[in-house]
Each structure stands twice: as structure tokens, then as C-alpha cells.
Amino acid sequence: MDSWIWWLLAAVGLGIPLVLTAMPEFAMFAVGAGAAAAAAGLGVGVVGQFLIFVGVSVALLVVVRPIAYRQLKQGPGIRTGIDALTGATAIVQEQVDGQGGRIKLNGEIWSARALNPGSVYEPGQQVDVVEIQGATALVV
């Protein structure tokens, strides 16, 4: 059998534990074996094939693995609590100025204050929440 077939069998063999364990390192080794199979198909010698396998696998481990794990640790970008309210649109219920007022935000009445002290927002007007300070929404 040609050596490129052995490398393809190694790539498939490394893909099996990837599916069973969900460890991305096996995929990186499988890609290295695929690169060695391609090199074997192009007529590169056994030592060259092995060096390509090791080189591609190590390069993927050094470059891709840290990026993948960083993405896994971050998790989805779901904002909750007060962070979810920042940027939301609200309706003014009682006049809002630099001293205070009331808005309806996500179905709840909140105390509010204009971010710019000189601004005044009348009832029924839409405002955007810029920040939450305690139980008071700063709006523009």
C-alpha cells in the first residue's frame, strides 16, 4: 500500500476520538496527517512526510488551540441584569430632566434622569437608556 493511504487512515483514526471526546486537539493531528498524505501523494519521502505531519500539527496546536479555548471561555455574548437595559428604548411617563422623572422601561416604571442636565423629555417621548445608576436610568 502507498504511504499516502496510511496517512489518510491515520487522519480518519484521529478523527474518531475527536468525535467521541470532543477534544479539538485530535482534529489538529488529523489535519497534520492529511497534510502528510498530500505530501506523500506528491512524492515527498518518508522523513519529509513525518516532518510535515509534526510541523502542521504543532503549528495548529500553537496557533489555533489558544484561540479556540479563548472563545470557549468567553461564552455567548448574552447581556443580563442591568447590562441588558443599557441601550434599550423607553417611554417617558413623567417629565424627565436633570433632576429626575419617570420612564417605562421593559414594562416597568423606573426613575430616570436626563444625562445632559439641560435636556427635558416630555411624556410619551421615546428615550434611550445610556446607563443605570442604582435604581435610576440615565437617558438621552
Side-chain angles (χ1 to χ4, degrees), residues 105-120:
L105 177 60
N106 288 349
E108 298 177 350
I109 302 297
W110 280 71
S111 60
R113 191 172 70 240
L115 181 64
N116 303 320
S119 299
V120 177

Side-chain angles (χ1 to χ4, degrees), residues 30-58:
V31 170
L42 294 173
V44 176
V46 175
V47 173
Q49 295 168 26
F50 182 74
L51 290 175
I52 288 172
F53 167 71
V54 171
V56 169
S57 298
V58 169

Side-chain angles (χ1 to χ4, degrees), residues 5 8 43 52 57 61 64 74 83 86 102 104 119 122 131 133:
I5 295 174
L8 283 180
I52 288 172
S57 298
L61 285 171
V64 175
Q74 282 181 348
D83 294 331
T86 303
R102 300 256 182 239
K104 189 169 195 172
S119 299
E122 298 299 325
E131 184 182 348
Q133 289 183 345

Side-chain angles (χ1 to χ4, degrees), residues 47-99:
V47 173
Q49 295 168 26
F50 182 74
L51 290 175
I52 288 172
F53 167 71
V54 171
V56 169
S57 298
V58 169
L60 287 172
L61 285 171
V62 169
V63 175
V64 175
R65 186 175 182 266
I67 296 169
Y69 278 102
R70 195 173 322 126
Q71 291 298 319
L72 285 174
K73 286 183 181 179
Q74 282 181 348
I78 298 173
R79 299 185 318 167
T80 59
I82 295 174
D83 294 331
L85 298 176
T86 303
T89 301
I91 304 294
V92 176
Q93 299 296 305
E94 296 175 14
Q95 181 180 359
V96 175
D97 55 19
Q99 302 300 314

